[in-house]
Structures are given as C-alpha cells and as structure tokens.
Amino acid sequence: MSERQIQLEVLRYNPETDSEPRFQTYSVPCEAEWVVLDALNYVKDHLDTTLSYRWSCHMAVCGSCGMMINGEPTLSCKAFLRDYPDTIRVEPLVHFPIERDLVTVIDDFMEKLNRVKPYLIPKEARTIAEGEYRQSPAELKRFKQYTLCINCMLCYSACPEYGLIPDFIGPAAIALAHRYNSDSRDGGREQRQQVIATKEGVWECSFVGACSEVCPKHVDPAAALQQVKIASTVDWYKEHLMPWGKS
Amino acid sequence: MMEKIQTDVAIVGAGGAGLRAAIALAEADPKLRISLISKVYPMRSHTCAAEGGAAGVIKPDDSMDLHFNDTVGGGDWLCDQDAVEYFIKEAPKELTQLEHWGCPWSREADGSVAVRPFGGMKIKRTWFAADKTGFHLLHTLFQTSLKYPSIQRFDEHYATDLLVDAGRCQGLTAIEMRSGQLRQFQAKAVIITTGGAGRMFPFTTNGAIKTGDGMAMAYRAGVSLKDMEFVQYHPTGLPNTGILLTEGCRGEGGILVNKHNYRYLQDYGMGPETPIGQPVLKTMELGPRDRLSQAFWHEQKKGNTVPTPWGDCVLLDMRHLGEKLIDERLPFVRELATSYLQKDPVHEPIPIRPVVHYMMGGIHTDINAATVLPGLFAAGECACVTINGANRLGSNSLTELLVFGKRAALSAVEYIGSGVTPNDAAITKQAERVQGRIRTLFEKSGGTESISGLRKEMTDSMEEHAGIYRTAEGLQSACAKIGELRLRYADIELHDKTNVYNTDLLQALELGAMLDCAEAVAVGALERKESRGAHQRLDFEARDDQNYLKHTLAHYHPNEPPRIEYLDVVITKSQPSVRDYSGAKK
C-alpha cells in the first residue's frame, strides 16, 4: 500500500509543565486511506507516548475526537488524509478551555445540556402494560433529524456567538430541546421554553449557520434554532396581542 | 490524603447497562446516593456503536417460546435456560420502557413499533431505530438519567481496583483523569457495567475503550471469569477498519457472495438458496453469526475469497434493495461504507470479512446479576449470566443490558437493605496499597518494554491462535505468549510522568486488564476440547455434551495461568439438539 509522509503539527499543552501552548511537529508515514486520528495513533504508539487526546469508536458516532484540523472543527476519525495537504495542523476545539494537549474541558456544555431538560416529559402518562405510544412515521420524521446529535462539540467551536458570549446555550443543546419539543409524545415545551426562548437561548443566535455546516451528522442545529425563534415569536403574539388565542 | 466519597451504590461504566442500573436505583429509592463512574463521558460509551436493533417479543405472531428457542439454539445449548426465560419475559417491558422515555424507534404505518428480521431468528423480532439503535438507546438513557438528581456522575474516572473486606465488596478506587488523583469510593454495593474486551484482538468492531477493565477488576478480586473462550466474530466488517455493517443489511435482504458471485452459504448447511430480495428467516444470510464467520474461513481456505489490499474478503451485495430502502433503513451503513471504503452499497457490492465483535463470556454472575462476592454485581457485556451461551443471537445484547442492568440495580437495593456498611479503616488501608502500586508503575525508570509493543504481540497472538478456528498447538503457543507478556509487563516504563489526563498511564493499566482477560480466553479455549458455537477446534470438531455441556470458570492467579473449573449448565425445558438453519427445506 502506498505510504505518504505527513507533517503533523500538533498543539501541545501540559498545565503542569507548560506556561503556554506550543506546537510540536511529527513526521508520520501514512497509509492512503488513513484519517487524521490514525496518524495521531501512530504518534502515540511509535513516536511520543506523552501525547493526549480523546478517541474511541473510529466510526463517527461516539463524538470523542473533535479537533481543529487546519483550522476547521472536525472529527479526526472522519478527516481523511486524502483531503488534506502534506502538512496538517491539529489543535483542540476552540471556545473551550484546554485540559491537556488536544483534550478540552466540556463542563460548560454538560451543564447546559442538563438545563434544557433533554428528556421526554410525557403529555399523557402511560403504563408499561398499556404498551407503546403510537407515533406515525410522519410524526417521527418531524424530530428524527434532531435526535442524531452525537454531542461532539464541533458546532460550539464553529459558533461565533458562543465564542463571544459564553452564556449562550448554544446549538447542540437547543437542538436537543427542540427535538423533545417536536416529539408527539412530549408535553414539556413550556418548561423548556423558559430556558431556550430567552436572551441566552435562541435570541443570542445571529443565524450565521456555521453550526450546521460543521455538523458531521447533518443535524442542522441552525434550522432548529430558527424554528424555536419562530415558535416563540408566535407565543409572544398570542400572549400579548391575542390573549384569547392562548390555548 | 486521598479523597473519600461515601455512596450507597457505585456503578462502574456508564454505557447502556450502567445508565439503566442508575435509573433503576434512582427510581427504587430517591434517597439512595448513586455514584456513576466511567472512564469516558456517558455518551462516548461503546453502546453507541450498536447498529441493528434489540430483540423483544411484541408482535402477535411471535411468542416467548420462539424467542427462547432461537436464543438457546443460537447459543448451542450453553445458555442457562432459567436466565433466558427471565430475560425473554422482561425484554418487551424494557423496550417499551425505552419507548416511554422517548427512544425514536422506527414505526409501522399504524404508529406501532416496527420490527425487522435478524440472523438466527424464526420470526421478525428486532426493534430498531434505523441502523443506529445502540446510539439512540444510549442517548435516550443518558438524557433520561439527567432527570434524577441522586445520580452523581464521575465522568472520566478510571476505576482500578475493588476494595474487599470481610468477604464483601465495599467500594473501589478510581483515578480522576483531570487531576491524576486516586479517589476512594466507599460503597455498600458495586455494580460493574464496563462492557467487553474486544481490543485484545487487532481487528475488531470495538472502540478503543473496550479493554476489559471491569472484567479484570472483578477477576483480580477473586470472582471468576466465565466462558471467556467464546468470542463472537461478526461476519460483516469493513476490511480496512473493522467497522461494523449491521446484520440488518442481511435482515433487509442483502446477500453474501464469493469471488464467483456464488452464494456460498448454501454449501455450509444454511441452504438451499433463497430468492434474492426475499430473505427467509433462519436460512442462508439469516443464519447465525458463528456459522457465517466459519463459512468465510472455509471459503478462504478453498481460495474462493476476493483478494483486497486489506486481506481476503467476500462481498455483501445490497444493490437490489434500492436507494430508497437503504436510505430509510440503513443510512449509517451507507455513510460508513461510502466514507471509509469509498464504496456505495447502492451501486456496488461491499467487500467484508469477519471481525471480532462481542464477548459471550465475562464476570460470572447468576440470574440476579449477582457475583459470588457479596456486594458485587455485574451486567451487560462484561457479565456472563449467561443468556448468550456459546454464540449470542444478534440483537439480544442491547436488550440484555437493559434487562440485567435493571436486575443488578434491584439486587443491589435488596442487598444493601440488609444493613451493610463499609469498614473505613480496612478499605482505606487497601486503597493506600493501590495508590502505592500505581505510584510504583508511574515512577519506575529503566524499563525496557513499551505499551504498544506488548499490545501488538498480544493482539497478533490472539488473532493467529484464538480466532475463528483453533488448535491445541496454536492455543498452547497463545497461552505461552500471554504468560510471557504478563511477566514482561513488569518492565514497562511510562514516559509521561505528569498527572493531568495521562493517557500513557491509562494505556498501561488497560493493557494489564487486556492481558488478564486474554489469558482467560486462551486457557479456557485450550481446555475446552470440543467445538461449540463460536469456539471451534480443528482437533475436536464435534460438540461434546458428555464432557463440555458446562461453563468454564477461570480463577485468577497473579503470576500463573488461571485455574479452570467447570459448572453445569442450567437446563429447564430444551435438551441439546441439532442446530438447524435450513428452514427453507421444510
């Protein structure tokens, strides 16, 4: 199999020994069909065991290995070397504190995810003996796309608003709130609106759409945010201009 | 001073089984203090990679007996039948529970949950969420778990040792990866839900985190590992990466052909050939995983496989399914094959080969998910109840982690109701010994062995000698090699001597766990002188119910091979018989 020599410029930062981040370059012999993650694993196994990064599934579903690759938020397990020049720069996802090397601190997202109540708040209670809720394929289709988020954080790195205003709840968490709001079995929209139809919620979004461009699962969080904006505008009109219209 | 965390139940592993257990505990008693400990964030757990579906009897034409027979026959009669009966009875309730928590199951036109056919099943029984069932199941459980404030998560904590005093498990130690500090969890009960150990093989569908940590932790604490020699090869992996293409591909009608474009499965007791696009249950491509993987091996020996840059393959042809069905039911398969192999299943056959997928064996547990060590429970792939026997039926594992995750939680609640409390002085002393051992590994200099070097020798040996077909000679060589590697492990030197997110240290600990598990596989396989399910011996080709209708129990020894014992299989209503996958003949 053909081998190609890649220069991997990797951001290194160890809070115990480094006062600030630095770049370290590794020369890596690569197979044609490798992804950037394979090159990092080569470094870890053969060149430098001190390099730290997260990864697991190597099939773009666990969401661990998001990184900046040549400046773009990307899953390193899906960044095929065939699409890159011979020098590749790898950095931790931006807008997150660096814990170590390519490992970021994602506490902020975990807290925000919790805040949007991303679980079914049933419209009608149902016992197990009564069987499943009925949901037509069309009803499923209404929210299915928003269930596909793997929490990889690429959208938070791509989002200019999140970079400027860290309080912004952000694309993935709002898309998940919208996923449950749009589920025919759910009755918790009002509870979630209190969190997402707010200044730190959807109204912080300036609809740049970068989140949807980098999403490896085509969740299209930008569309979710716009749908929430429209729905909450309708809510506002119903409440303030047509009080009789409130259901 | 080492930080101590007081808790009622500590769960190690936050994948499907661990999350299900945590939720069951929180629902059983909101006052319980629950610690959910995982070396990764819950949504990174390998449950997310499961694709095809979860089995549970729900449709009127199906029955508990049919699911029982498929499971027990599929497992080549090594399943404990009382456990299978319990599992099958609970399965539909658990899958319905997941539906009530919001899992986006695929639907029939009338709004009921849809089912698809899977290998080794007499009837369609697999609930599915397109071809990302494990992913949806994991995220549904994780998101649901956020409702319960009593579930306290310890993400990115690597559990190292169980703390055992007076014959009871009373907690564990874990390294907080962010600080590198060892923490002591003092618990009334511990549940292990850490999944499998597929990374002991070089070519596997398993993610990097599947290193058998929990199995090894229980094993070293004196709980035996059961039936470890039964390692399932999934017949359809992408040849370059080992990425799984779900059994759903064949369930929906995909066919397997050799280089002569011939559906070779008909030559291995799974024929006669069925019409293309009209799959027949329990026949041809819908045979069980062990038989399909073994058929590949024979085709390769006969020279009927297709050579590729990544080794010999056969072809999975799905073109006749059409783009619409593939996009609706197998979208992930299309995405994976197209990006990782640059072959689109809509337009061309996909080269595939068998790949290590699942451990039927694991921590020896009983029908209540309890181990022989009071206070210790286990569920999911890391455990061996066993409902899977010698070969797991596809789509039973997702259901298993729900049923037995919940079972482990209820058993733990019952156990702590008896008023057990951890003995602080005794287990703190143990935790300090653990700290000393890790510090020695950490600070040691002058070591001559590398982690990646030893790992490669281990995986090469396992692939060569403990794969689809095995011999005494090969297994002896694997046992010798693993034994040697366990000794050489003492000569590892870490190059990273810092604390924060030290993956050098973590990989060293993971390698130690894999070596212990690998030895149990190799020794168990050498001692089992018969062929059954996923364990095939070229020197003992027949199943031997006289001597081996028994579970293997491997008992740990720190510097010698495990001691092997056997335990009778529980048989309630199905006597061992012939496995028949030629349904079309009847």
Side-chain angles (χ1 to χ4, degrees):
Chain A
M1 231 168 295
S2 63
E3 271 199 5
R4 175 181 164 206
Q5 203 74 18
I6 298 279
Q7 303 304 309
L8 214 54
E9 300 176 352
V10 184
L11 184 137
R12 303 297 311 271
Y13 174 67
N14 185 327
E16 289 170 77
T17 52
D18 297 324
S19 55
E20 58 186 38
R22 60 196 161 84
F23 280 95
Q24 186 164 356
T25 302
Y26 301 97
S27 188
V28 184
C30 297
E31 311 268 347
E33 83 262 28
W34 274 15
V35 290
V36 170
L37 176 60
D38 296 319
L40 286 170
N41 285 341
Y42 183 91
V43 173
K44 181 77 176 169
D45 285 351
H46 302 286
L47 304 178
D48 186 350
T49 63
T50 70
L51 179 64
S52 278
Y53 51 98
R54 293 185 177 111
W55 75 285
S56 179
C57 75
H58 199 291
M59 58 190 282
V61 70
C62 80
S64 306
C65 70
M67 301 168 191
M68 305 301 289
I69 299 179
N70 281 352
E72 290 288 324
T74 313
L75 291 181
S76 63
C77 74
K78 233 190 156 185
F80 292 91
L81 294 178
R82 58 179 179 253
D83 300 329
Y84 289 89
D86 288 346
T87 298
I88 303 175
R89 179 164 274 216
V90 185
E91 300 161 86
L93 286 177
V94 296
H95 302 161
F96 295 96
I98 303 173
E99 188 163 312
R100 158 91 187 254
D101 297 338
L102 300 170
V103 177
T104 55
V105 178
I106 62 166
D107 296 357
D108 183 54
F109 170 76
M110 297 303 281
E111 185 277 319
K112 284 170 175 163
L113 183 68
N114 204 5
R115 224 193 302 162
V116 302
K117 301 185 194 248
Y119 38 79
L120 199 81
I121 301 172
K123 206 185 311 183
E124 300 161 23
R126 202 173 170 88
T127 63
I128 298 295
E130 287 171 302
E132 76 263 45
Y133 291 98
R134 295 285 159 142
Q135 183 167 65
S136 70
E139 286 170 328
L140 172 64
K141 203 173 170 199
R142 212 164 291 149
F143 69 94
K144 186 66 201 277
Q145 165 189 352
Y146 303 116
T147 65
L148 300 177
C149 172
I150 60 173
N151 301 171
C152 66
M153 310 289 111
L154 300 192
C155 57
Y156 283 75
S157 265
C159 174
E161 295 300 321
Y162 183 63
L164 291 170
I165 301 146
D167 284 342
F168 177 37
I169 293 172
I174 293 176
L176 265 171
H178 184 59
R179 168 253 179 277
Y180 283 100
N181 284 348
S182 314
D183 189 321
S184 57
R185 298 166 289 186
D186 186 85
R189 177 167 174 269
E190 254 177 56
Q191 295 182 44
R192 293 188 201 96
Q193 289 302 96
Q194 291 166 18
V195 186
I196 62 170
T198 60
K199 181 84 177 69
E200 300 81 40
V202 288
W203 299 109
E204 201 64 74
C205 167
S206 57
F207 201 31
V208 172
C211 52
S212 293
E213 277 172 37
V214 299
C215 179
K217 296 281 134 182
H218 312 292
V219 173
D220 199 0
L225 268 98
Q226 298 323 300
Q227 286 169 22
V228 174
K229 281 184 189 175
I230 292 165
S232 64
T233 305
V234 171
D235 285 348
W236 189 89
Y237 274 99
K238 278 186 182 165
E239 195 165 327
H240 295 269
L241 302 179
M242 318 183 288
W244 60 89
K246 250 186 108 177
S247 52
Chain B
M1 271 300 283
M2 197 187 316
E3 188 184 348
K4 289 179 194 173
I5 291 145
Q6 308 289 338
T7 189
D8 290 313
V9 185
I11 303 169
V12 186
L19 287 163
R20 183 67 189 89
I23 295 170
L25 288 166
E27 292 199 327
D29 179 358
K31 291 191 298 296
L32 280 179
R33 297 165 300 173
I34 304 156
S35 298
L36 182 56
I37 301 157
S38 171
K39 66 177 176 177
V40 292
Y41 284 89
M43 61 277 189
R44 313 303 184 214
S45 306
H46 199 60
T47 305
C48 72
E51 296 173 8
V57 173
I58 186 175
K59 297 295 177 188
D61 55 350
D62 199 359
S63 76
M64 301 284 173
D65 277 344
L66 288 174
H67 193 185
F68 177 91
N69 291 336
D70 288 345
T71 300
V72 171
D76 219 349
W77 280 271
L78 198 68
C79 315
D80 277 350
Q81 296 180 12
D82 55 345
V84 175
E85 286 183 57
Y86 174 77
F87 163 73
I88 282 162
K89 186 164 62 66
E90 294 301 309
K93 296 183 215 167
E94 280 301 306
L95 298 179
T96 304
Q97 176 65 77
L98 254 286
E99 197 278 337
H100 288 190
W101 285 333
C103 188
W105 296 114
S106 293
R107 303 283 177 160
E108 307 283 5
D110 70 355
S112 62
V113 168
V115 289
R116 70 163 33 134
F118 242 59
M121 283 188 186
K122 197 153 179 66
I123 204 144
K124 290 201 279 183
R125 177 183 304 129
T126 297
W127 299 40
F128 62 102
D131 55 358
K132 298 182 186 175
T133 312
F135 164 80
H136 287 301
L137 189 143
L138 178 71
H139 281 250
T140 300
L141 286 169
F142 167 55
Q143 290 162 11
T144 301
S145 79
L146 298 173
K147 278 201 298 200
Y148 303 94
S150 60
I151 301 173
Q152 195 184 353
R153 284 209 326 272
F154 295 87
D155 299 329
E156 298 198 329
H157 281 62
Y158 182 88
T160 65
D161 292 78
L162 294 173
L163 302 174
V164 181
D165 178 58
R168 284 188 295 116
C169 181
Q170 303 184 14
L172 60 117
T173 49
I175 300 168
E176 182 191 40
M177 290 160 64
R178 183 175 293 183
S179 65
Q181 299 306 304
L182 193 71
R183 286 176 151 179
Q184 183 191 153
F185 291 81
Q186 299 197 342
K188 294 173 184 166
V190 175
I191 302 175
I192 300 181
T193 49
T194 50
R199 297 299 290 197
M200 69 173 81
F201 288 84
F203 187 63
T204 172
T205 61
N206 284 200
I209 59 176
K210 301 295 31 148
T211 50
D213 315 301
M215 290 181 185
M217 196 164 66
Y219 186 40
R220 291 170 192 154
V223 179
S224 52
L225 296 180
K226 184 167 50 182
D227 293 343
M228 289 292 279
E229 62 271 30
F230 296 97
V231 176
Q232 181 167 75
Y233 276 75
H234 196 294
T236 58
L238 290 183
N240 54 349
T241 53
I243 288 174
L244 171 73
L245 299 188
T246 171
E247 196 157 306
C249 297
R250 287 171 283 125
E252 298 296 344
I255 57 168
L256 291 175
V257 296
N258 64 17
K259 76 172 180 193
H260 307 297
N261 201 32
Y262 173 71
R263 289 172 71 194
Y264 58 92
L265 293 175
Q266 60 192 291
D267 295 348
Y268 301 93
M270 287 173 275
E273 194 174 350
T274 52
I276 289 178
Q278 296 169 42
V280 175
L281 289 152
K282 257 183 150 169
T283 307
M284 291 295 287
E285 284 81 5
L286 293 181
R289 291 176 180 175
D290 55 342
R291 290 283 171 83
L292 264 67
S293 296
Q294 289 150 18
F296 171 88
W297 186 92
H298 290 289
E299 285 294 292
Q300 188 178 29
K301 288 277 174 255
K302 290 180 191 167
N304 289 340
T305 44
V306 181
T308 76
W310 316 283
D312 292 336
C313 288
V314 287
L315 300 171
L316 172 62
D317 195 344
M318 292 181 272
R319 288 173 296 178
H320 51 280
L321 302 182
E323 187 164 13
K324 184 166 176 290
L325 185 133
I326 288 176
D327 281 349
E328 187 185 304
R329 298 208 157 189
L330 303 163
F332 196 31
V333 163
R334 187 176 186 191
E335 178 195 325
L336 291 169
T338 307
S339 34
Y340 289 96
L341 206 61
Q342 291 184 287
K343 289 193 186 297
D344 184 347
V346 171
H347 301 296
E348 55 199 317
I350 308 297
I352 50 95
R353 64 184 173 106
V355 52
V356 167
H357 184 55
Y358 185 88
M359 306 281 303
M360 270 70 75
I363 301 166
H364 172 33
T365 54
D366 64 16
I367 189 170
N368 297 316
T371 71
V372 292
L373 176 63
L376 183 68
F377 305 84
E381 187 175 346
C382 72
C384 182
V385 181
T386 164
I387 63 151
N388 300 313
N391 170 62
R392 177 173 66 78
L393 201 65
S395 74
N396 267 354
S397 67
L398 288 178
T399 314
E400 177 184 7
L401 57 82
L402 297 169
V403 169
F404 287 98
K406 180 179 177 185
R407 182 64 250 179
L410 299 181
S411 296
V413 170
E414 201 175 308
Y415 172 78
I416 64 181
S418 60
V420 289
T421 47
N423 178 340
D424 178 30
I427 63 172
T428 297
K429 202 178 254 176
Q430 275 186 40
E432 281 161 4
R433 276 203 295 274
V434 172
Q435 188 156 38
R437 197 190 72 226
I438 293 172
R439 190 168 292 146
T440 306
L441 169 68
F442 195 70
E443 289 171 354
K444 190 167 144 359
S445 61
T448 50
E449 299 289 353
S450 77
I451 297 167
S452 61
L454 295 188
R455 192 170 53 212
K456 183 160 188 332
E457 289 187 43
M458 170 188 66
T459 58
D460 284 352
S461 176
M462 292 302 281
E463 174 159 87
E464 193 179 347
H465 302 302
I468 299 176
Y469 279 95
R470 302 156 168 182
T471 63
E473 198 187 1
L475 289 165
Q476 274 155 0
S477 130
C479 292
K481 172 55 80 176
I482 305 296
E484 172 206 317
L485 294 174
R486 283 182 73 202
L487 293 178
R488 286 166 58 195
Y489 180 81
D491 274 329
I492 283 180
E493 180 186 351
L494 299 186
H495 298 283
D496 188 346
K497 311 278 190 191
T498 62
N499 293 296
V500 178
Y501 217 96
N502 184 330
T503 46
D504 204 17
L505 172 63
L506 246 53
Q507 287 194 349
L509 296 172
E510 289 174 334
L511 174 63
M514 283 192 284
L515 284 171
D516 287 346
C517 292
E519 192 172 43
V521 172
V523 174
L526 177 63
E527 295 300 320
R528 185 175 283 275
K529 298 179 182 74
E530 65 157 352
S531 290
R532 182 187 298 272
H535 170 69
Q536 292 291 314
R537 288 280 298 258
L538 291 170
D539 43 357
F540 297 96
E541 289 183 348
R543 194 175 78 192
D544 177 1
D545 291 329
Q546 201 68 40
N547 296 302
Y548 291 104
L549 186 57
K550 288 182 164 65
H551 301 300
T552 305
L553 295 179
H555 298 275
Y556 178 77
H557 191 286
N559 37 37
E560 280 174 28
R563 179 171 56 84
I564 299 292
E565 274 186 334
Y566 292 96
L567 178 71
D568 284 342
V569 171
V570 177
I571 292 183
T572 58
K573 57 185 185 189
S574 173
Q575 290 303 319
S577 159
V578 178
R579 298 171 76 202
D580 184 4
Y581 295 101
S582 53
K585 269 187 213 148
K586 291 174 208 145

